[in-house]
Amino acid sequence: MRRHTTGDRMMMRAVIALGVLLIVGFTSGAIGIARAMIVRGETYREKAEQGQLRDVEEPAPRGEIVDSSGNVIASSTDVKRVYINPKKVNDYENKDEIIRLISEALVPILGIAEDKVAKQASYKNYSDMTLKGKVDEITMEKVNAFLDTTVTTKMKVLVKGADDDAPEEEKYRIVTVDKDAKDAAKFSLFVGSSRDTIRYYPLGTFAANVIGFTGSDDTGRTGLELYYNKQLTGTPGRTLVAKNATDSNIASEYATHTAPIKGSTLKLTIDQEVQRFLENSLEQARIDAKAKAAYGIVMDVNTGAILGMAAQASYDPAHYQELADSIKLAEIEAITDETERKKALNEAILAQWRNGAIDLTYEPGSVFKIVTVAAGLEEGVVNLNTSYTCTGAIQVENRTMHCHNRNGHGTEDLTHGLMNSCNPFMITIAQKLGVHKFYKYFDGFGFTEKTGIDLPGEAEPKPGISIHAEKDMKVVELSSCAFGQSFEASPIQVISAVSAIANGGKLMRPYVVAQVLDENGAVIEENKPTVRRQVVSEDTADKVAAMMEQVVQAGTGKNAYVAGARVAGKTGTSQKLSAGSGYVASFSCFAPADNPQVAVLIAIDDPKGQINGGQIAAPPAAEIIEQVLQHRNVPMQYTAEEEKQLAAKAPTVTGLTIAAAKELLTKADYTARVVGSGETILRQFPKAGTTVATGGVVVLYTSNDNTEPMVKVPNLVGMTVSQANAAAAAAGLNVSFSGNFASSTKITSKQSIETGAEVPAGTVITVHFVSTSGVTDSTLGED
Amino acid sequence: MSTRVIAGRNRYAIPEEKGKNIWEQIKSAFTTGGFDVPFLVMVTLLTVIGLLMMYSASYEYSRVHNGGPAAIFLKQLYIAVPSYALMIVISKVNLDFVKKCANIVLLVAVGLLVLCYVLNIGKDIKRHIDIGPIQFQPSDIAKFALILYFAYAMDKYQKPGYLNASKHGTAFLQETNKWERFMVRWRPTLVYCGVLVLIDGLVVIESHLSATIIILGIGAMMMFIGEQRIPGWVYFLGIAVAVVVIVVVISNPDILLKFGLKQYQVDRITAFKNPLEGDLSGDKWQTANSLMAIGSGGLFGRGLGKSVQKLLYLPEPQNDFIFAIVCEELGFVGAMLILLLFAALVFRGFLIALHSKDRFAALLTMGIMIQLALQTILNIGVVTALLPNTGILLPFFSQGGTAIAMLLGEMGLVLAVSRQAREVKL
């Protein structure tokens, strides 16, 4: 019996336990939920929505942009943002006075509008209204000094036990805390600062048209800053701050904090050195040609990587709203009409942001002839032995198309046709190909599509507008296209096509960003060389490259000849189709011709005076390619004549007696000049091993304390190689040659040290040679 | 051979097992028969809803801290799915086999608690044991060990032959002195109390307040049901005293200072009293944000996945305070339905217990259901600021691998009990 009672007892107690759990436990749970959700729900919701808790975003620094060797081009640095807390201000009876005091102090420090403080403080329900962003450290010190001062405050306090319906005066009492009181509030109660970032460009105008700039909101507006904005933008940090409602100091504690993550770094293919060579030569060329603008691209022909890209005149991305081109600025300031002036200034500022290297379209002109020749060779309609007789004009349907040489080039083979930039020959090749086959290469070399470079605003070829659609291309259009007229292309399209010839017929996608790196330098994204297609066979490409080398050695591209560099190139001069007037002089080249490494394109927009590519675009291209090849340690291949010039090096004479030194120098075809009264040579200038043209002067010092004799630099411009050499020697100086110095017809165009400068005797002056004859190729042959 | 015992005279018989071969012994560890379908349906529903809500609540937190919005959820899912399968397997286990494990499980649990204490000497948080990437709380195992041991002991000491079988026979009892007689009569009670004090003591020195409370609650309630000697009024007196103390302390926390507690401990209680006033950082932060989440829910909620408070306002929203996110997203109606589902599960569990084949099965089931109910109630109490913040997980919902695995295993045992019920139909 007892067993049964205990069993029943357990049952009974189990039921009681269940009852307690369900009735007491779960019911109180339900009551808890109801209380929090229904009874107090409204209060809690309001609290949640109110600024009781402040969610502060901490801006993340934007990623850096660095060149191919890691030099910083664009970077972000921390500054401060100053804000007012209107909610706090409005807690006080004397808020107008507080606002006035803040305004009086901060307006001169921050340079904000007179009513800015009052206006921002009027947003009563907010606790963070910006007064000024991007405040630098020095200004911030002044702001903080002010914020540390105290202020008299009058706060309304609810009287305990006051009736709800009581009039204001009875319900509240005013508590005044004098600014001299121990617990006086500081201005930092109302005004605070938080982190902000500012973009800066340590190299100034360097590659500005490629890099672009950021707006005041720290997002990219043009260039790479825009194209890679997503990668460059970091993840902002967040801080949720619990605010204390009763304490008069903003005693806040971080409850949840996530640190900001810096944006990714862009590592460019652009090489700082190459870009400098490009910008320097291009800007000089622009100024010399009095041109509106000048564009230049240096490309690695094997990968499509852009080593340098410039659009002059450039601008400073840190001050993008200021016109950087002083010549243009002077022109604009000369405009008398105020509205006209402003309009012109605005237009000029907008124009300086553009990157003409990718967004300008112009008729490529004769440069395009290499495409026509490559197509003809590839399709077998011509070969290297094909000859043509140019009479100076050719009849196409009912019109006569002229060659730039109206007298005709006479009978010429294909290589000479290209060297002479002969229009009728090109027309004949295109006509032999026919529209379909010609268009295949027009399309193949990328003239009907964007190159796909990773930059915003690349010009897009539009059939019917900037190019002919295949179906609209009749014999007249075909004939004018053959020598690069009647359609437009962008510089990047042209250099891509030229690079395809240099790269064994493979058309590459050009790119500017090599890698996207995270904070620790690990690669997140990578642009790998992309072959768009094989346009022509390697054999054809090599043949065209060899012809282009001839163009530079003896054709219209003579001014791009660089001793030992084996430059292959093609000149171009054309009218701008869409603009209605003006010319674009261009030159495209690559080197070395037998194993091409880099391609350079120079396009000079709207030059005055000399307008031919061979005259004004080839010389800067030569300067650039010479420097780039040296920078990249590409071995030079000199001709025997050049070899002789270059082999001339100052011999070692230090330690010898004066007589022995003189004998040695005379033997080597140098003149000796002795300074000092010693017996033996202590040092020599130029130093042993320095390249010094034969006939030069070597200064011999016999004692160490002698001051160096100074001489004046003579004018060497306009002289031939031998004249320059003689003039320099006469002045006690030495010369070294760059550019096209192999032939005696060349004259100097530049000297590395200005005329009239005082330099030590024996100094080596680099003299650059260009040619003036046989370099015109105006393709304006159509009547 | 089925161990199903025909209802009637020999309800608590232990099946004869001598002379069987190994295969039959293994076979006898498992059972057949249908389990309680409504119970399984409710467990499945809670598991699915719990996982879904955990995914929603952890989304933003996981995205920021764990490298992907689904990282925490997937980790939980990978444990929950096999655990669910294990539950079905466990539901086939022979309860007599389980009963035999009680002593071993208790020993293992005590061993792990000691090990945990030793391994974590000098650390701030002393409640985890780390095995490679896996981290588990011995207190989770201790809770189950206590339930299992109590069920086993309360069954053993209740057996008609207990007094006879012991070396103190009935006849001997009558002849011996008062002290020995007292010892024999109170021996079971002393064993229960001893085990409870041992386990809870080991949990207390790990500074694990929530587990201490839960274990104490489970122990007290199981003793109320299965212990023989202590009269019912003692329990109610105990509850009454506890309630009075709680009310006094909460209404006047400063009184604790006289009992040697530190000011910051008092501050916690004060903080809980006015969750949304004063400085909200620190201790109040979680509760304040929890209440703001709940309050934002309204009648029907913001909708699944649309909680605002989970967006890094509420710290670790997938843990203790997940119910606040449930309230915010599913509203008052949704929260009540979930609470009702929990209550229904507990009710059904007790029903299974009352229809089980023996005292052990009944007590085991009730112990498990008590644990589930206590955790649910205390968790909701904390989330809705009825109770101070102690860090109790919500079963099926909160993040925690050991917790979900243990829970589903225990549900498996309840299903096993339902398979081996005294009557086929409940």
Side-chain angles (χ1 to χ4, degrees):
Chain A
M1 276 316 283
R2 188 183 164 162
R3 199 174 71 214
H4 281 273
T5 33
T6 49
D8 291 342
R9 178 184 130 123
M10 192 184 88
M11 283 247 193
M12 196 185 72
R13 286 196 165 190
V15 171
I16 292 170
L18 178 63
V20 168
L21 284 178
L22 290 184
I23 295 164
V24 180
F26 278 93
T27 309
S28 49
I31 290 167
I33 296 168
R35 187 182 73 147
M37 297 195 77
I38 308 296
V39 183
R40 298 186 184 171
E42 200 64 34
T43 326
Y44 292 158
R45 190 178 14 246
E46 270 173 26
K47 291 261 187 194
E49 284 161 10
Q50 265 176 17
Q52 274 283 338
L53 304 171
R54 210 150 59 93
D55 179 1
V56 182
E57 242 193 29
E58 196 179 330
R62 199 173 164 81
E64 289 180 349
I65 301 178
V66 301
D67 85 335
S68 59
S69 34
N71 302 306
V72 176
I73 303 170
S75 179
S76 282
T77 187
D78 285 347
V79 283
K80 289 280 191 277
R81 182 183 63 92
V82 178
Y83 64 85
I84 189 163
N85 184 340
K87 218 169 175 181
K88 206 46 139 183
V89 175
N90 282 281
D91 278 350
Y92 292 89
E93 186 68 11
N94 59 334
K95 60 170 190 253
D96 292 334
E97 195 196 338
I98 294 170
I99 290 167
R100 185 179 57 79
L101 288 168
I102 294 172
S103 204
E104 272 173 12
L106 292 187
V107 165
I109 298 176
L110 296 175
I112 48 177
E114 292 283 338
D115 60 341
K116 180 90 177 181
V117 175
K119 215 161 126 191
Q120 296 297 70
S122 67
Y123 293 92
K124 285 184 203 174
N125 293 324
Y126 294 83
S127 52
D128 183 339
M129 294 299 294
T130 302
L131 290 178
K132 187 148 199 293
K134 310 203 187 304
V135 180
D136 62 51
E137 213 175 306
I138 298 158
T139 315
M140 209 51 224
E141 269 174 28
K142 292 183 204 160
V143 173
N144 284 333
F146 162 68
L147 296 185
D148 208 35
T149 57
T150 54
V151 61
T152 301
T153 51
K154 290 176 183 156
M155 197 180 206
K156 269 202 232 174
V157 178
L158 192 67
V159 175
K160 261 194 182 163
D163 237 348
D164 266 3
D165 320 319
E168 284 276 304
E169 310 86 71
E170 286 174 32
K171 209 166 148 189
Y172 299 101
R173 65 193 165 85
I174 308 283
V175 176
T176 306
V177 180
D178 194 75
K179 69 173 180 177
D180 298 325
K182 215 172 143 197
D183 57 346
K186 288 179 176 173
F187 277 104
S188 55
L189 180 62
F190 309 106
V191 177
S193 64
S194 70
R195 248 178 81 176
D196 201 358
T197 67
I198 193 169
R199 195 76 167 155
Y200 73 105
Y201 301 87
L203 303 180
T205 62
F206 181 86
N209 302 74
V210 177
I211 306 300
F213 58 87
T214 59
S216 54
D217 57 351
D218 213 32
T219 58
R221 298 265 291 273
T222 63
L224 290 170
E225 294 273 26
L226 172 65
Y227 197 88
Y228 285 95
N229 189 49
K230 208 180 121 197
Q231 286 88 336
L232 287 167
T233 306
T235 312
R238 282 181 74 195
T239 305
L240 295 167
V241 183
K243 287 184 65 195
N244 187 329
T246 53
D247 200 339
S248 60
N249 294 310
I250 303 180
S252 55
E253 214 169 282
Y254 297 123
T256 308
H257 174 82
T258 53
I261 302 166
K262 190 180 170 180
S264 306
T265 297
L266 298 187
K267 187 173 184 184
L268 306 188
T269 56
I270 289 180
D271 182 320
Q272 192 180 346
E273 293 296 311
V274 173
Q275 180 74 17
R276 281 210 193 286
F277 303 149
L278 175 65
E279 284 182 10
N280 291 342
S281 296
L282 200 60
E283 181 63 3
Q284 193 55 50
R286 184 185 77 94
I287 292 167
D288 290 348
K290 299 180 184 64
K292 195 176 97 184
Y295 313 109
I297 304 171
V298 182
M299 192 189 234
D300 181 329
V301 297
N302 299 313
T303 61
I306 302 292
L307 304 175
M309 181 185 272
Q312 298 297 128
S314 194
Y315 65 98
D316 184 353
H319 308 284
Y320 58 90
Q321 271 158 335
E322 289 164 22
L323 187 62
D325 182 357
S326 50
I327 302 167
K328 182 87 185 167
L329 192 65
E331 269 174 44
I332 290 168
E333 272 167 2
I335 300 172
T336 43
D337 187 65
E338 170 107 31
T339 34
E340 283 291 311
R341 188 169 65 234
K342 275 191 176 158
K343 205 180 136 203
L345 186 64
N346 269 336
E347 274 171 11
I349 287 169
L350 286 175
Q352 73 175 352
W353 299 342
R354 292 183 51 180
N355 182 1
I358 59 161
D359 70 9
L360 167 95
T361 57
Y362 67 106
E363 290 182 284
S366 306
V367 173
F368 186 80
K369 287 171 185 167
I370 61 171
V371 172
T372 307
V373 170
L377 283 172
E378 183 76 4
E379 290 294 329
V381 301
V382 284
N383 60 45
L384 291 178
N385 301 319
T386 306
S387 67
Y388 176 81
T389 306
C390 171
T391 58
I394 187 171
Q395 191 72 21
V396 179
E397 288 205 324
N398 57 352
R399 62 179 84 189
T400 308
M401 288 185 177
H402 288 286
C403 193
H404 60 91
N405 182 349
R406 303 246 167 167
N407 300 324
H409 291 108
T411 302
E412 57 196 353
D413 64 9
L414 188 61
T415 306
H416 281 85
L418 197 67
M419 284 163 71
N420 295 332
S421 200
C422 178
N423 292 351
F425 201 163
M426 296 302 138
I427 293 167
T428 314
I429 294 170
Q431 288 178 356
K432 276 188 187 169
L433 281 164
V435 170
H436 181 68
K437 281 183 180 167
F438 176 81
Y439 209 87
K440 186 177 142 195
Y441 292 93
F442 185 74
D443 188 53
F445 276 98
F447 288 93
T448 59
E449 63 187 8
K450 287 188 182 185
T451 61
I453 190 170
D454 48 347
L455 281 169
E458 189 189 349
E460 188 171 13
K462 292 189 186 71
I465 299 168
S466 63
I467 56 169
H468 301 290
E470 191 181 345
K471 63 178 168 50
D472 299 330
M473 196 182 266
K474 300 288 178 292
V475 69
V476 173
E477 288 81 19
L478 173 69
S479 301
S480 56
C481 283
F483 54 95
Q485 298 273 334
S486 83
F487 71 94
E488 292 191 330
S490 61
I492 191 71
Q493 274 179 307
V494 174
I495 196 173
S496 296
V498 171
S499 296
I501 295 291
N503 190 29
K506 283 194 275 291
L507 185 69
M508 307 298 290
R509 182 179 81 88
Y511 61 97
V512 183
V513 172
Q515 290 169 333
V516 180
L517 309 170
D518 74 6
E519 252 181 309
N520 308 316
V523 178
I524 308 170
E525 286 175 47
E526 193 165 14
N527 273 330
K528 292 230 167 70
T530 317
V531 179
R532 286 155 75 194
R533 57 189 158 265
Q534 182 86 35
V535 191
V536 291
S537 68
E538 207 172 329
D539 182 48
T540 302
D542 290 349
K543 280 179 186 159
V544 177
M547 282 190 253
M548 286 169 74
E549 194 183 1
Q550 289 304 308
V551 171
V552 173
Q553 278 182 356
T556 52
K558 273 180 272 189
N559 276 339
Y561 185 87
V562 176
R566 296 198 61 184
V567 179
K570 186 72 195 81
T571 55
T573 310
S574 57
Q575 268 183 303
K576 284 197 284 184
L577 199 66
S578 48
S581 69
Y583 297 90
V584 174
S586 65
F587 186 76
S588 304
C589 61
F590 54 82
D594 60 334
N595 176 26
Q597 304 279 317
V598 289
V600 174
L601 177 141
I602 300 294
I604 297 181
D605 190 358
D606 204 4
K608 313 283 185 311
Q610 289 185 320
I611 56 150
N612 279 289
Q615 292 169 319
I616 58 173
E623 277 175 26
I624 294 159
I625 215 154
E626 184 178 15
Q627 288 168 306
V628 171
L629 292 181
Q630 272 170 13
H631 171 62
R632 287 169 71 93
N633 295 322
V634 177
M636 293 294 192
Q637 306 167 47
Y638 297 104
T639 60
E641 190 189 342
E642 290 159 1
E643 205 69 74
K644 206 182 117 201
Q645 284 279 10
L646 287 164
K649 287 188 169 47
T652 311
V653 291
T654 47
L656 300 179
T657 59
I658 294 170
K662 276 191 172 170
E663 194 191 323
L664 198 69
L665 286 170
T666 315
K667 232 177 169 179
D669 205 4
Y670 291 110
T671 311
R673 187 166 160 186
V674 182
V675 177
S677 52
E679 293 288 304
T680 52
I681 313 302
L682 294 178
R683 59 194 176 94
Q684 67 181 87
F685 187 73
K687 287 199 178 98
T690 312
T691 304
V692 181
T694 47
V697 180
V698 177
V699 184
L700 308 174
Y701 294 91
T702 53
S703 52
N704 271 329
D705 56 336
N706 296 125
T707 49
E708 294 170 338
M710 302 299 279
V711 294
K712 263 205 170 110
V713 176
N715 179 27
L716 303 173
V717 173
M719 293 178 174
T720 63
V721 172
S722 49
Q723 283 170 336
N725 214 348
L733 293 166
N734 291 297
V735 284
S736 105
F737 305 123
S738 85
N740 189 352
F741 58 81
S743 158
S744 56
T745 60
K746 311 301 170 337
I747 62 160
T748 55
S749 74
K750 271 182 201 169
Q751 59 191 63
S752 65
I753 301 170
E754 272 174 65
T755 307
E758 292 262 351
V759 293
T763 300
V764 180
I765 299 173
T766 304
V767 190
H768 190 81
F769 289 87
V770 295
S771 181
T772 46
S773 59
V775 292
T776 58
D777 67 339
S778 277
T779 47
L780 316 170
E782 197 179 349
D783 272 352
Chain B
M1 148 195 158
S2 166
T3 55
R4 170 81 65 86
V5 176
I6 311 301
R9 290 170 45 205
N10 199 6
R11 240 162 92 182
Y12 303 122
I14 298 170
E16 186 62 52
E17 284 191 0
K18 277 172 189 161
K20 279 198 242 164
N21 65 30
I22 293 168
W23 170 240
E24 278 176 327
Q25 277 190 28
I26 293 169
K27 231 169 90 179
S28 74
F30 293 94
T31 184
T32 53
F35 54 60
D36 190 49
V37 176
F39 189 83
L40 181 78
V41 169
M42 286 191 280
V43 167
T44 310
L45 260 178
L46 279 168
T47 308
V48 172
I49 297 171
L51 279 169
L52 209 63
M53 289 312 301
M54 210 281 284
Y55 184 30
S56 170
S58 67
Y59 194 90
E60 178 72 6
Y61 182 88
S62 180
R63 192 183 66 74
V64 172
H65 298 278
N66 295 55
I72 290 178
F73 165 71
L74 286 176
K75 205 174 145 198
Q76 181 87 340
L77 190 71
Y78 293 153
I79 298 173
V81 170
S83 300
Y84 189 88
L86 193 68
M87 171 181 81
I88 304 296
V89 173
I90 289 175
S91 79
K92 290 195 147 267
V93 166
N94 190 334
L95 287 169
D96 297 320
F97 171 74
V98 175
K99 197 196 292 187
K100 282 185 201 156
C101 300
N103 281 319
I104 300 159
V105 172
L106 184 70
L107 272 175
V108 169
V110 171
L112 285 173
L113 283 174
V114 172
L115 183 71
C116 181
Y117 182 75
V118 172
L119 286 179
N120 290 306
I121 283 174
K123 292 185 192 164
D124 285 341
I125 296 162
K126 304 169 182 150
R127 52 188 74 157
H128 300 117
I129 293 183
D130 299 332
I131 307 165
I134 303 159
Q135 198 184 49
F136 81 100
Q137 299 194 0
S139 60
D140 281 333
I141 291 162
K143 285 174 202 164
F144 173 68
L146 180 81
I147 293 167
L148 184 61
Y149 184 77
F150 269 27
Y152 157 78
M154 286 171 183
D155 175 60
K156 185 179 90 179
Y157 290 130
Q158 175 57 25
K159 285 213 175 2
Y162 155 61
L163 285 179
N164 297 331
S166 75
K167 61 179 179 181
H168 313 286
T170 320
F172 172 78
L173 261 184
Q174 282 157 359
E175 286 162 19
T176 190
N177 64 34
K178 255 185 166 180
W179 170 243
E180 287 205 13
R181 211 155 51 215
F182 171 82
M183 274 307 291
V184 171
R185 273 168 168 264
W186 286 89
R187 189 173 149 205
T189 312
L190 289 175
V191 168
Y192 307 148
C193 289
V195 170
L196 183 57
V197 167
L198 175 68
I199 289 182
D200 229 12
L202 285 170
V203 176
V204 164
I205 59 170
E206 286 176 8
S207 325
H208 197 170
L209 182 64
S210 61
T212 309
I213 294 169
I214 300 270
I215 288 170
L216 194 66
I218 296 167
M221 288 193 78
M222 283 190 79
M223 279 176 69
F224 172 71
I225 297 168
E227 198 271 339
Q228 301 285 313
R229 302 281 167 200
I230 303 171
W233 59 265
V234 175
Y235 294 96
F236 287 97
L237 188 72
I239 291 171
V241 170
V243 168
V244 168
V245 168
I246 288 167
V247 168
V248 168
V249 165
I250 286 177
S251 57
N252 187 11
D254 288 345
I255 210 164
L256 288 176
L257 290 174
K258 288 177 190 161
F259 293 91
L261 268 82
K262 300 266 157 46
Q263 185 62 44
Y264 78 91
Q265 289 168 313
V266 176
D267 287 347
R268 277 193 186 175
I269 296 166
T270 323
F272 141 77
K273 265 173 72 185
N274 307 308
L276 286 181
E277 273 152 46
D279 188 357
L280 289 187
S281 56
D283 290 337
K284 277 189 177 183
W285 179 256
Q286 240 183 347
T287 312
N289 274 294
S290 167
L291 287 175
M292 287 178 203
I294 296 172
S296 304
L299 209 52
F300 297 103
R302 290 185 196 267
L304 188 62
K306 292 181 183 160
S307 162
V308 176
Q309 287 292 104
K310 77 180 176 193
L311 303 177
L312 306 184
Y313 284 96
L314 185 57
E316 302 193 26
Q318 70 277 14
N319 279 347
D320 310 353
F321 282 83
I322 190 168
F323 197 70
I325 303 299
V326 172
C327 290
E328 191 185 358
E329 295 196 346
L330 305 182
F332 181 67
V333 174
M336 278 301 175
L337 282 175
I338 284 167
L339 188 68
L340 208 63
L341 197 54
F342 271 111
L345 186 75
V346 172
F347 183 78
R348 191 77 193 174
F350 267 79
L351 221 54
I352 290 169
L354 295 176
H355 288 82
S356 61
K357 70 166 182 175
D358 59 17
R359 198 177 157 83
F360 167 73
L363 282 161
L364 179 67
T365 308
M366 284 191 281
I368 290 168
M369 296 329 288
I370 288 166
Q371 185 200 342
L372 181 84
L374 282 179
Q375 293 215 170
T376 308
I377 293 160
L378 293 179
N379 177 277
I380 290 173
V382 167
V383 170
T384 57
L386 282 177
L387 297 169
N389 187 355
T390 51
I392 294 167
L393 298 181
L394 182 63
F396 296 110
F397 283 69
S398 294
Q399 177 201 8
T402 340
I404 191 86
M406 287 298 294
L407 183 66
L408 287 173
E410 288 174 352
M411 293 302 111
L413 284 176
V414 176
L415 287 171
V417 172
S418 78
R419 275 190 205 276
Q420 300 161 51
R422 174 153 52 89
E423 292 149 35
V424 176
K425 270 250 177 234
L426 289 186

